[in-house]
């Protein structure tokens, strides 16, 4: 783990390098979800296998999460994009990267694909709704859930109860969530979030992969992506809800690695110059 200072924030980040470096090895950046999530959600599930398959991987804790600094403000998707761009600059990463994002992290990643297209080579959205009325409803539901959770953490004394019971890890997790929800603008920032417009989805230039559970409340987002994004692949996993990363790790891993390999092949093909036309003799 390493501390990286970017955009006025200290971020906890880690770079995982493949054993063999090749000129066309992709750089894959993982973007996690809110509150209880951090870079460890990807460490063994997807990041390790991606490195084994030749990718350079960047993991980081979003501002206020994990071991990154927790400022009082700055938790919008636009702030997340600015943070990530500054982090990449601080790490000396100037080539386009593949973003792999879960849940709310997908809103940040999709916004970056729209506003910073030259920095995004590919976008994988795992259980994330980014555009249209379905995204607006999801954001509102998240904001309401976070508000209720914040009130409970403020008044129910759960942290003290876990401390007294000797369950220090759970007490630390509750203290972390309480700090984010009741000591920052995160709830208000989520509530004010603007979904992408269909026209913005249509303007995404990079290839997009969307992976959703068949029983997820966000499965409609898959149709939204397929309808508007020019270069889009959608995978619907049977029997799953908003738990794809946790409950279908192996299937998700295979889907992602296959897709990344396909993008690498496509990039190679684009770099190969066409054979010159020659005139045949009479």
């Amino acid at each position: 783990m390493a501390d990286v200072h970017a955009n006025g924030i200290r971020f906890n980040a880690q770079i995982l390098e493949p054993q063999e470096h090749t000129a066309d090895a992709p750089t894959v950046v993982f973007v996690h979800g809110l509150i209880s999530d951090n870079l460890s959600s990807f460490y063994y599930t997807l990041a390790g296998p991606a490195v084994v398959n030749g990718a350079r991987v960047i993991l980081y804790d979003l501002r206020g999460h994990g071991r990154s600094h927790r400022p009082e403000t700055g938790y919008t998707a636009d702030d997340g994009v600015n943070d990530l761009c500054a982090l990449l600059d601080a790490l000396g990463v100037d080539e386009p990267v593949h973003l792999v994002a879960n849940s709310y992290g997908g809103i940040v990643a999709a916004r970056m694909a729209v506003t910073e297209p030259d920095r995004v080579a590919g976008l994988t959205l795992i259980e994330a709704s980014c555009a249209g009325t379905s995204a607006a409803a999801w954001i509102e539901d998240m904001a309401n859930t976070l508000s209720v959770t914040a009130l409970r953490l403020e008044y129910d004394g759960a942290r003290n109860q876990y401390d007294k019971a000797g369950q220090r890890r759970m007490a630390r997790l509750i203290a972390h969530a309480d700090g984010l929800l009741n000591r920052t603008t995160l709830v208000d920032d989520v509530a004010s979030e603007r979904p992408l417009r269909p026209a913005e989805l249509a303007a995404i230039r990079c290839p997009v992969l969307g992976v959703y559970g068949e029983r997820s409340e966000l499965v409609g987002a898959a149709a939204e992506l397929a309808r508007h994004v020019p270069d889009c692949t959608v995978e619907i996993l049977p029997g799953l809800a908003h738990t794809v990363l946790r409950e279908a790790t192996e299937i998700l891993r295979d889907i992602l690695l296959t897709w990344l390999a396909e993008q690498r092949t496509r990039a190679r093909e684009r770099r190969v110059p066409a054979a010159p036309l020659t005139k045949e003799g009479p």
Side-chain angles (χ1 to χ4, degrees):
M1 301 291 180
D3 286 343
V4 180
H5 293 268
N7 202 24
I9 303 294
R10 175 187 53 77
F11 290 96
N12 177 48
Q14 184 165 5
I15 301 177
L16 306 177
E17 301 282 0
Q19 287 188 343
E20 295 184 9
H21 289 266
T22 59
D24 65 343
T27 298
V28 182
V29 182
F30 289 89
V31 188
H32 64 74
L34 287 178
I35 310 301
S36 61
D37 220 350
N38 55 56
L39 66 78
S40 67
S41 300
F42 291 114
Y43 196 91
Y44 295 107
T45 54
L46 300 177
V51 173
V52 171
N53 278 263
R56 182 193 193 202
V57 162
I58 297 174
L59 299 158
Y60 75 108
D61 290 329
L62 297 174
R63 70 163 60 199
H65 292 72
R67 296 180 179 178
S68 290
H69 178 58
R70 190 185 73 206
E72 292 182 2
T73 62
Y75 294 88
T76 68
D78 287 331
D79 292 320
V81 171
N82 292 335
D83 286 347
L84 181 49
C85 288
L87 179 69
L88 293 175
D89 289 342
L91 294 173
V93 178
D94 54 11
E95 75 274 13
V97 300
H98 288 269
L99 299 178
V100 179
N102 183 53
S103 194
Y104 185 81
I107 293 179
V108 175
R111 185 67 57 85
M112 184 164 168
V114 170
T115 61
E116 301 288 341
D118 293 337
R119 304 203 72 159
V120 183
L123 175 63
T124 297
L125 300 174
I126 305 164
E127 279 292 312
S129 183
C130 306
T133 55
S134 61
W138 182 45
I139 290 169
E140 182 179 4
D141 184 60
M142 272 194 293
N144 291 337
T145 300
L146 293 175
S147 296
V148 171
T149 303
L151 287 172
R152 288 177 177 170
L153 290 173
E154 185 79 11
Y155 295 111
D156 70 1
R159 178 186 178 185
N160 292 334
Q161 295 173 24
Y162 281 110
D163 265 332
K164 291 178 181 178
Q167 298 185 35
R168 295 179 180 176
R169 181 177 179 276
M170 183 60 71
R172 286 196 301 270
L173 290 174
I174 291 174
H176 173 78
D178 179 52
L180 261 175
L181 293 172
N182 288 310
R183 309 290 181 266
T184 76
T185 61
L186 185 143
V187 175
D188 289 338
D189 288 348
V190 170
S192 66
E193 200 61 65
R194 175 187 68 81
L196 295 174
R197 295 183 294 272
E200 291 175 305
L201 282 185
I204 293 178
R205 301 203 306 252
C206 67
V208 175
L209 169 66
V211 186
Y212 296 86
E214 176 190 33
R215 297 179 180 175
S216 170
E217 69 273 22
L218 303 184
V219 70
E224 197 80 13
L225 290 178
R227 185 180 304 118
H228 297 291
V229 177
D231 187 353
C232 183
T233 302
V234 168
E235 298 282 353
I236 307 296
L237 304 187
L240 293 173
H242 191 59
T243 52
V244 169
L245 180 61
R246 186 173 70 251
E247 295 185 359
T249 304
E250 293 183 1
I251 296 172
L252 178 61
R253 176 200 64 201
D254 292 344
I255 290 171
L256 175 63
L257 295 181
T258 299
W259 188 80
L260 287 173
E262 290 171 353
Q263 305 317 310
R264 197 170 181 179
T265 298
R266 290 173 62 181
R268 286 172 180 165
E269 291 172 347
R270 286 194 295 269
R271 286 193 293 269
V272 175
L277 296 175
T278 58
K279 279 189 175 182
E280 295 184 1

